[in-house]
Amino acid sequence: MIKKELLDILACPQCKGPVELTADENGIVCRACKLLYAIRDNIPIMLIDEAKPLAETKP
């Protein structure tokens, strides 16, 4: 699990904007860029090339 202190200092590497933890706590999301950054072994992988496009759930 990612500590809140770490999450507070993380920023999206693409836009430098705020990020948030996913509901299931297995990734970090940038809403502005619509990117999902994975968390592996409790380490956020904050690389633009590794990010996945965020699937929109709203119609």
Side-chain angles (χ1 to χ4, degrees), residues 16-46:
K16 311 298 187 248
V19 293
E20 58 190 54
L21 200 57
T22 59
D24 56 8
E25 298 185 359
N26 69 349
I28 294 176
V29 174
C30 174
R31 298 280 178 206
C33 296
K34 296 184 175 149
L35 292 175
L36 172 66
Y37 298 94
I39 298 175
R40 293 187 207 123
D41 298 323
N42 290 327
I43 300 170
I45 312 300
M46 303 297 288

Side-chain angles (χ1 to χ4, degrees), residues 1-3 8 10 12 22 24 29 33 39 47 49:
M1 181 170 164
I2 298 294
K3 292 183 179 181
D8 289 343
L10 286 177
C12 175
T22 59
D24 56 8
V29 174
C33 296
I39 298 175
L47 300 170
D49 293 341

